[in-house]
């Protein structure tokens, strides 16, 4: 994670008076609080982690922003270590729990789990920002705005989106706090990576997996539009430090996404477009809208693996064996091809599915072809 520009160009030893030049917060915006009792702040973190520090000075360092001490003593060194340590911890976990995934898919999963968007939401969910020592009214304003946007995500069921569902930029300071605290644990336990993972893993729940990450909404959107003779077009522009992406289908804007990273902004925009096109406000954009038949087709495809398994059990055959046959495309637009093998009393049959944007969908595609094959026998 690369450092971003420090928003605290002017530092205030005390909160600025109402007449200060700092931007005024909207009336409905509640600015983050501050836990002045440092012993209480440390206890809160230890209680949260269920871990007692041998050296609490590490924790105090992790909870100090550079604006508080003019950069002389802050979490920056720990954040540097935490970024790498969490990346390695997630790499190990994903490698061991996804034996069939290639490096591209594993990289996508790791990026989703340790992105600024994800870690910032971890900090919000566990109320970590009030524990941070800082002297920066501007930072409080940015974090306050982001917290409000996350509340809206929860209301609209977007909080579990892999790269975040908000158009408000996730303040890097929130991700930094999580990484610095993780590093404090890592250093305190003598650089024991396994111990670090045991202590911190639950903070990141739900961990994004190959089954839950929608890393290929771009491919899914293109496939959907092609079925209806339409073309999806992406328009990229900049707003402050954010990359904004608009999605157009048939000349009409159907989706919007944003992120510090262009690739993730495009993913968010495609996901937004899919949500509106399938049963949403923009479903009429495609030919006569998206017919119920297409929605039924999508649902039916996603249930094929389960149906095939139930069929095998009902006929007292071994459970179907799924295998990842091929993985291709760039890291942000991977596609997967899976096969399935079914051993029946009359022989062994294998079918290969169509390329899909997710392993789970690729398995369902192979299962669908197997179900069709078995019906012909």
């Amino acid at each position: 994670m690369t450092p971003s520009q420090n928003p605290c160009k002017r530092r205030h030893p005390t909160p600025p008076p109402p007449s200060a030049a700092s931007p005024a917060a909207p009336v409905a915006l509640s600015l983050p609080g501050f836990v002045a009792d440092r012993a209480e702040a440390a206890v809160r973190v230890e209680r949260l982690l269920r871990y007692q520090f041998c050296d609490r000075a590490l924790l105090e360092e992790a909870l100090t922003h550079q604006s508080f001490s003019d950069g002389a003593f802050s979490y920056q060194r720990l954040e540097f270590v935490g970024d790498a340590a969490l990346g390695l911890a997630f790499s190990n976990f994903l490698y061991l729990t996804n034996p069939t995934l290639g490096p591209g898919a594993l990289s996508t999963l790791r990026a989703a789990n340790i992105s600024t968007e994800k870690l910032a939401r971890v900090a919000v969910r566990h109320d970590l920002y009030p524990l941070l020592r800082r002297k920066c009214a501007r930072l409080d304003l940015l974090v306050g705005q982001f917290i409000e946007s996350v509340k809206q995500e929860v209301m609209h069921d977007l909080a579990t989106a892999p790269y975040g569902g908000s158009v408000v930029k996730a303040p890097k300071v929130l991700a930094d706090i999580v990484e610095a605290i993780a590093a404090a644990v890592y250093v305190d336990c003598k650089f024991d990576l396994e111990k670090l993972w045991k202590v911190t893993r639950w903070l990141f729940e739900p961990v994004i997996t190959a089954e839950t990450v929608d890393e290929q909404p771009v491919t899914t959107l293109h496939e959907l539009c092609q079925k209806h003779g339409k073309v999806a077009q992406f328009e990229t522009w900049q707003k402050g430090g954010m990359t904004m992406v608009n999605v157009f289908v048939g000349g009409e804007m159907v989706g919007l996404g944003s992120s510090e990273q262009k690739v993730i902004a495009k993913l968010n925009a495609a996901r937004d477009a899919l949500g509106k096109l399938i049963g949403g406000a923009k479903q009429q954009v495609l030919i006569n809208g998206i017919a119920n038949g297409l929605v039924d087709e999508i649902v039916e495809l996603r249930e094929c693996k389960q149906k095939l398994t139930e069929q095998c059990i009902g006929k007292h055959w071994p459970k179907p064996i799924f295998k990842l046959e091929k993985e291709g495309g760039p890291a942000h637009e991977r596609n997967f091809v899976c096969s399935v093998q079914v051993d029946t009393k009359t022989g062994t049959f294998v079918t290969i599915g169509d390329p899909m944007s997710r392993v789970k969908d690729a398995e369902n595609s192979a299962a669908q072809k197997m179900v069709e094959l078995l019906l012909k026998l």
Side-chain angles (χ1 to χ4, degrees):
M1 188 176 297
T2 58
S4 62
Q5 185 177 3
N6 183 4
C8 306
K9 293 183 179 180
R10 297 180 61 187
R11 300 186 175 90
H12 305 276
T14 58
S19 59
S22 300
V27 175
L29 180 62
S30 177
L31 295 179
F34 173 63
V35 178
D37 186 335
R38 303 317 296 164
E40 171 62 20
V43 168
R44 287 194 190 184
V45 174
E46 290 182 333
R47 188 183 301 132
L48 175 68
L49 298 175
R50 300 181 182 90
Y51 176 84
Q52 187 170 359
F53 281 83
C54 297
D55 183 3
R56 271 198 176 179
L58 287 168
L59 188 53
E60 188 63 13
E61 181 179 346
L63 296 176
T64 302
H65 188 259
Q66 55 265 36
S67 64
F68 185 82
S69 59
D70 202 25
F73 174 81
S74 73
Y75 63 53
Q76 289 180 303
R77 280 171 52 84
L78 285 175
E79 181 266 327
F80 166 77
V81 174
D83 182 21
L86 286 179
L88 182 56
F90 266 103
S91 294
N92 292 347
F93 170 74
L94 294 170
Y95 175 82
L96 293 173
T97 55
N98 297 275
T100 63
L101 291 189
L106 290 173
S107 295
T108 299
L109 285 177
R110 181 180 60 190
N113 278 290
I114 61 174
S115 67
T116 298
E117 288 85 354
K118 172 69 184 287
L119 295 185
R121 285 162 177 79
V122 170
V124 171
R125 184 164 64 249
H126 298 294
D127 202 23
L128 296 179
Y129 186 73
L131 307 181
L132 182 71
R133 296 195 299 176
R134 76 272 180 190
K135 291 181 180 178
C136 184
R138 172 65 174 165
L139 200 62
D140 286 350
L141 178 62
L142 293 175
V143 171
Q145 291 172 337
F146 180 72
I147 290 174
E148 289 301 316
S149 75
V150 171
K151 290 179 181 178
Q152 294 300 314
E153 290 177 7
V154 174
M155 290 175 59
H156 293 88
D157 198 26
L158 293 172
T160 57
Y163 300 98
S166 173
V167 296
V168 176
K169 179 180 179 180
K172 183 177 179 293
V173 63
L174 293 175
D176 288 348
I177 296 170
V178 176
E179 291 173 336
I181 290 175
V185 173
Y186 187 47
V187 176
D188 193 66
C189 66
K190 309 301 181 185
F191 302 94
D192 185 335
L193 193 65
E194 184 177 356
K195 178 70 172 179
L196 167 67
W197 184 242
K198 287 181 179 179
V199 171
T200 62
R201 174 190 167 172
W202 76 275
L203 293 176
F204 308 103
E205 294 291 351
V207 172
I208 300 166
T209 67
E211 286 70 34
T212 59
V213 69
D214 186 10
E215 77 271 36
Q216 291 310 323
V218 176
T219 302
T220 304
L221 177 62
H222 283 308
E223 292 172 352
L224 182 62
C225 290
Q226 287 172 4
K227 285 186 177 182
H228 293 270
K230 297 288 186 178
V231 176
Q233 296 178 313
F234 293 83
E235 179 183 280
T236 303
W237 50 288
Q238 297 294 319
K239 181 180 180 181
M242 297 285 280
T243 296
M244 312 293 292
V245 177
N246 295 338
V247 183
F248 294 87
V249 174
E252 183 172 347
M253 192 177 86
V254 297
L256 170 67
S258 65
S259 174
E260 291 178 283
Q261 303 177 42
K262 181 178 178 180
V263 169
I264 294 179
K266 187 175 182 180
L267 292 170
N268 283 337
R271 185 188 302 111
D272 183 47
L274 284 170
K276 292 174 181 175
L277 289 171
I278 300 179
K282 296 294 183 179
Q283 58 181 327
Q284 297 300 320
V285 171
L286 300 180
I287 300 175
N288 296 323
I290 294 184
N292 290 333
L294 177 58
V295 177
D296 293 340
E297 177 185 334
I298 294 172
V299 173
E300 182 179 352
L301 174 62
R302 292 177 177 174
E303 295 176 349
C304 280
K305 182 177 179 180
Q306 179 181 348
K307 288 182 178 179
L308 178 61
T309 301
E310 292 173 352
Q311 183 177 349
C312 290
I313 293 174
K315 293 182 177 291
H316 303 289
W317 298 341
K319 288 186 178 181
I321 301 172
F322 290 89
K323 180 182 178 182
L324 180 62
E325 296 286 348
K326 183 180 178 182
E327 177 183 349
H332 62 285
E333 290 189 25
R334 307 300 289 173
N335 58 77
F336 306 92
V337 176
C338 288
S339 66
V340 61
Q341 174 182 315
V342 172
D343 297 315
T344 71
K345 294 179 180 179
T346 59
T348 298
F349 300 90
V350 177
T351 56
I352 297 178
D354 296 324
M356 291 289 173
S357 59
R358 300 191 303 174
V359 173
K360 185 176 181 179
D361 290 340
E363 290 178 340
N364 276 312
S365 177
Q368 182 185 46
K369 293 182 181 296
M370 178 60 73
V371 170
E372 294 172 352
L373 174 63
L374 294 175
L375 287 174
K376 297 176 182 178
L377 297 180

